[in-house]
Amino acid sequence: MASKLEQLRAMTVVVADTGDIEAVRRLKPQDCTTNPTLILKAVQDPASGPILEEALAWARRQSGPREALVARVCDRLSVAFGAELTRIVPGRVSTEVDADLSFDTGATVAKAREIVALYEAQGIQRERILIKIASTWEGIQAAAVLQREGIDCNLTLLFHLVQAAACADAGAFLISPFVGRILDWHVKAGGGPYTPDTDPGVESVRGIYAYYKAHGIPTVVMGASFRNAGEIEALAGCDRLTISPALLDELAAADGPLPRRLSPGGGAPAPARLALDEAAFRFQLNEDPMAGEKLAEGIRGFVKDLRTLRGLVGKRLAEAQAA
């Protein structure tokens, strides 16, 4: 019998959630997603030394304020890792807009355009890239602008149906509803014990999937942020699942049948299509403590890692210029 990973690939597009280039070569996913945390980890890997050195060499030929230069180097690093990943995976690579722009629609649009331009300068067309944006109201409105320009977006840090509904209204190409972080919140709040089928993160993705399919919404649902293989198996059949290398390895080593759990037209009836404006979006998100807290926490976490990355780049750039 085929491994559970191979069975999963027969019904779901498998995506690697990593910036580890060697892991992607080994695991052969269809797509790959990155974020500031994964880029920071990748930059600190000695194997990534040449990519960092190339970006620093470019910076030494530039002029301008140090802070702006460091930010541009970080953009080049994200695109450099993404470009390398596009040479390995046959599908798309997600590259994230700076998390500290999550509440600024105009700045998010501008940064996304810069990222796409950096890719296109390397001969990588926008059809190979997804611009990853936090699912704030402002981020979703930025995605609406970008989608009209032919720049496909991946809306991340998504914890609630209202976020998914607004992303659908914006015409987002793909959403990344989180599973494990929802589970974390409920366990910390005293919930459980949970099985994969009663896992609140799994239930959230199932509900969003059912809503999209019931209303003929073409936006891709890609479950993300898994804590264990059971959560992944409980979402078998979802459009896409982005999975860490460790869990991909676990699924590759597991045998036994893996039944399809999600399919268009299956599951419980979905609610009527939501009619949302900014006030309704913010109110409904505010009504769910888990969603509001995890969205804010996720943005803070990515901003922290982005600042750490900028600090590392700034230090290395200062050392190189002083040499």
Side-chain angles (χ1 to χ4, degrees):
M1 178 178 289
S3 72
K4 287 189 175 181
L5 179 58
E6 290 307 312
Q7 293 177 68
L8 181 66
R9 282 178 164 146
M11 62 186 103
T12 291
V13 174
V14 172
V15 180
D17 192 12
T18 183
D20 184 335
I21 292 169
E22 291 308 315
V24 175
R25 285 197 178 99
R26 176 172 57 81
L27 293 164
K28 299 179 173 59
Q30 174 70 21
D31 295 349
C32 194
T33 62
T34 65
N35 61 43
T37 304
L38 296 174
I39 294 297
L40 174 61
K41 182 178 180 181
V43 167
Q44 294 172 317
D45 184 341
S48 301
I51 292 177
L52 177 57
E53 290 306 319
E54 188 282 331
L56 292 172
W58 171 86
R60 289 195 294 272
R61 300 191 296 270
Q62 311 303 311
S63 60
R66 171 62 63 85
E67 184 175 343
L69 187 56
V70 167
R72 291 166 66 194
V73 171
C74 290
D75 289 343
R76 291 183 71 87
L77 283 171
S78 293
V79 170
F81 280 104
E84 187 65 26
L85 292 169
T86 65
R87 299 181 186 105
I88 303 170
V89 301
R92 294 179 182 249
V93 172
S94 290
T95 297
E96 191 149 350
V97 168
D98 296 349
D100 53 6
L101 304 179
S102 295
F103 300 100
D104 189 329
T105 296
T108 295
V109 170
K111 178 62 72 172
R113 290 170 178 159
E114 291 172 9
I115 292 170
V116 169
L118 285 172
Y119 273 112
E120 291 182 336
Q122 296 196 37
I124 300 166
Q125 299 304 307
R126 61 185 60 188
E127 290 78 16
R128 297 291 314 280
I129 306 303
L130 292 177
I131 296 296
K132 203 171 177 185
I133 302 171
S135 298
T136 59
W137 177 259
E138 294 82 1
I140 294 168
Q141 303 319 300
V145 174
L146 294 166
Q147 289 289 161
R148 289 194 294 270
E149 297 179 2
I151 298 174
D152 288 335
C153 298
N154 170 356
L155 275 296
T156 188
L157 293 175
L158 196 149
F159 302 97
H160 195 284
L161 177 61
V162 71
Q163 292 172 287
C167 290
D169 292 343
F173 178 84
L174 180 148
I175 61 169
S176 296
F178 279 30
V179 177
R181 297 194 194 194
I182 293 177
L183 174 65
D184 295 344
W185 189 94
H186 284 279
V187 169
K188 186 176 180 180
Y194 298 106
T195 67
D197 279 325
T198 62
D199 183 309
V202 170
E203 291 179 338
S204 176
V205 176
R206 286 177 173 174
I208 290 167
Y209 179 91
Y211 178 86
Y212 273 22
K213 301 313 177 189
H215 297 293
I217 295 166
T219 299
V220 174
V221 180
M222 182 172 75
S225 172
F226 294 105
R227 295 294 177 260
N228 55 70
E231 291 176 326
I232 297 166
E233 293 183 36
L235 292 173
C238 191
D239 298 336
R240 303 186 191 192
L241 298 174
T242 182
I243 306 169
S244 69
L247 288 175
L248 287 171
D249 284 335
E250 183 177 337
L251 290 166
D255 53 19
L258 179 62
R260 186 176 188 123
R261 306 302 302 276
L262 295 182
S263 58
R273 185 147 186 177
L274 301 178
L276 296 169
D277 56 14
E278 181 177 355
F281 174 90
R282 293 191 186 281
F283 181 77
Q284 291 188 46
L285 194 60
N286 186 71
E287 285 290 278
D288 187 330
M290 178 279 299
E293 290 172 19
K294 298 308 287 187
L295 174 59
E297 178 185 274
I299 292 171
R300 286 195 299 270
F302 284 158
V303 168
K304 178 182 178 182
D305 288 336
L306 178 61
R307 288 171 177 163
T308 301
L309 176 62
R310 288 172 178 166
L312 184 154
V313 167
K315 179 181 178 182
R316 290 291 303 274
L317 182 58
E319 291 170 348
Q321 290 175 332

